[in-house]
Amino acid sequence: MAQAQQETAKVAFTATIGRQVTLRWHTLRRWPVVPVAIITALVVCAVFAPLLAPHDPTVGELTDRNIPPAWYPQGSSEHLLGTDALGRDVLSRIIYGTRISLLVAAIVLSAGAVGGTLLGLLAGWLGGLYDELAMRFVDFTLAVPFILVALVVVIVLGQSLAIVITLLIIFSWNSFSRQVRGETLQIKNMDYVSMAKVAGASSPHILYRHLLPGVINTVMVLVSLRVGSLIITESVLSYLGVGIPPPTPAWGLMVAEGKDYITTAWWITFFPGLAIFLTVLAFNFLGDWLRDRFDPRLRQI
C-alpha cells in the first residue's frame, strides 16, 4: 500500500513538473521574456553606470595591462572581465558603453521616426508632385554610401559624438518615410477617412486623428527593428575610427582597440562584441514579436 502511494505521488509530482515546464515554455513563446530581460538589464546599466562600474572606464594602469578574466589563474578578482592594453577595466568600459549605445539609438530614432513619419504621411496624403519629390529624395538618401559620407565629414569637421548622431539622423528617417507612405496610401481610401472628408474635416485633423493612429503600430515595429541596426552602424563607425572619439568607452571602439591583441588578449574584443550581439539580438526579437502581435496578417498567437 505504501509503495503504491509513493508511486502515485511520484506520478503526480512528475505531471506537475511537466505542466509547469509546459506553462513556462508557452509563456516564453507568447511573451518576449528574454529580450525584455536583456533590454531591461541594458537600461539599468546605462542609467546606473557610475554605481555599477567597479572602475573608472577611462583610467588605467600600465602595470595592469592585458590582465585576463578572473577565472584565469593569472586573473584578478578586481577585474572580472580582464583589462585592455592600457590597463583599463573591460567590464567598466562595457557598462559605460551601454550608455553611449542606447543614448545614440534613442536620439537618432526619436528624430528619425518623427521626421520620417511626418514626411511619409504628407507624401501619401497629398500625392502628386509632393509625393514624387519626397520619394525621389528618399531614393537619393538610400543610394548615398553612408560610410563614405561619414569618412569625408569626419575628415573635414573632426570626430565627435554630435557629428555621429547628426549623420545617423540624416540617414535614418528614409525607411520610416517609405513604409508610412505605403500605409497611408491604403488608409486614406478607407470609408472612415472618406466620411471625415465629407464632414468637412481639415487635412491636419485627418492626418492626426485618422491616418496617424493607423500607422503608429508600423512605426513602433520599425523603431524596435532599427535599434539593432543603428547600434551596429555606430559600432562600425567607431571601429573605423570615424565614430565616438577615444577615450570614450564605445563598444565598436573597444573592438577596434583590441583587434591587434586578438591572439594574446582575446577578451578585449570578445566581450564588447558579445554585448553588441546580445543587444542587437534582443531588439530584433522584440521587433519580430511586436510585428507578429500588431499585424493581423502575421499573428501567430
Side-chain angles (χ1 to χ4, degrees):
M1 179 66 69
Q3 185 176 2
Q5 291 178 348
Q6 291 179 356
E7 293 294 333
T8 303
K10 290 181 179 179
V11 171
F13 178 76
T14 303
T16 302
I17 295 298
R19 285 194 298 269
Q20 292 179 354
V21 171
T22 302
L23 179 62
R24 292 176 181 177
W25 170 248
H26 283 299
T27 301
L28 289 175
R29 289 191 59 194
R30 185 177 181 83
W31 303 102
V33 178
V34 176
V36 170
I38 294 175
I39 294 171
T40 302
L42 292 171
V43 173
V44 170
C45 288
V47 174
F48 300 103
L51 300 177
L52 297 176
H55 300 277
D56 190 324
T58 60
V59 177
E61 296 289 340
L62 291 179
T63 55
D64 296 332
R65 63 192 306 267
N66 292 344
I67 294 178
W71 56 86
Y72 274 68
Q74 302 85 2
S76 171
S77 58
E78 295 184 3
H79 306 285
L80 295 179
L81 300 183
T83 61
D84 62 8
L86 297 178
R88 298 171 298 190
D89 184 65
V90 172
L91 176 60
S92 300
R93 289 180 63 77
I94 290 176
I95 292 175
Y96 273 88
T98 305
R99 172 177 290 186
I100 297 296
S101 295
L102 294 186
L103 175 65
V104 171
I107 295 175
V108 171
L109 283 176
S110 297
V114 172
T117 300
L118 179 60
L119 182 63
L121 284 172
L122 292 175
W125 174 250
L126 298 176
L129 180 61
Y130 180 85
D131 182 27
E132 186 70 19
L133 292 176
M135 290 302 102
R136 297 298 74 78
F137 185 56
V138 169
D139 293 338
F140 172 77
T141 58
L142 290 173
V144 172
F146 172 71
I147 299 297
L148 180 59
V149 172
L151 288 171
V152 173
V153 171
V154 169
I155 291 174
V156 175
L157 300 179
Q159 189 177 357
S160 69
L161 177 61
I163 290 177
V164 172
I165 292 177
T166 303
L167 286 171
L168 291 174
I169 290 175
I170 292 174
F171 288 91
S172 68
W173 57 270
N174 42 36
S175 59
F176 292 95
S177 295
R178 174 166 287 182
Q179 187 66 37
V180 170
R181 179 247 186 190
E183 296 279 345
T184 303
L185 289 175
Q186 296 179 0
I187 297 175
K188 76 174 186 178
N189 294 320
M190 292 186 175
D191 293 339
Y192 67 90
V193 178
S194 300
M195 293 296 293
K197 292 180 185 178
V198 173
S202 63
S203 293
H205 178 83
I206 295 176
L207 288 172
Y208 178 72
R209 295 298 300 271
H210 300 289
L211 296 182
L212 182 59
V215 302
I216 194 65
N217 289 341
T218 301
V219 174
M220 290 173 55
V221 174
L222 282 176
V223 167
S224 62
L225 291 174
R226 287 286 293 167
V227 172
S229 62
L230 276 176
I231 291 176
I232 289 180
T233 302
E234 180 269 321
S235 300
V236 169
L237 292 177
S238 298
Y239 182 85
L240 294 175
V242 295
I244 310 300
T248 304
W251 291 340
L253 181 61
M254 295 174 65
V255 173
E257 292 173 342
K259 68 180 185 298
D260 295 330
Y261 304 92
I262 192 66
T263 58
T264 57
W266 57 267
W267 53 89
I268 301 177
T269 56
F270 175 79
F271 291 115
L274 181 63
I276 296 172
F277 170 76
L278 292 177
T279 303
V280 173
L281 197 65
F283 278 105
N284 284 346
F285 280 171
L286 179 62
D288 288 340
W289 180 84
L290 289 173
R291 182 176 56 189
D292 293 342
R293 192 73 175 177
F294 291 120
D295 191 341
R297 295 168 298 180
L298 300 175
R299 190 171 297 162
Q300 300 174 358
I301 55 177

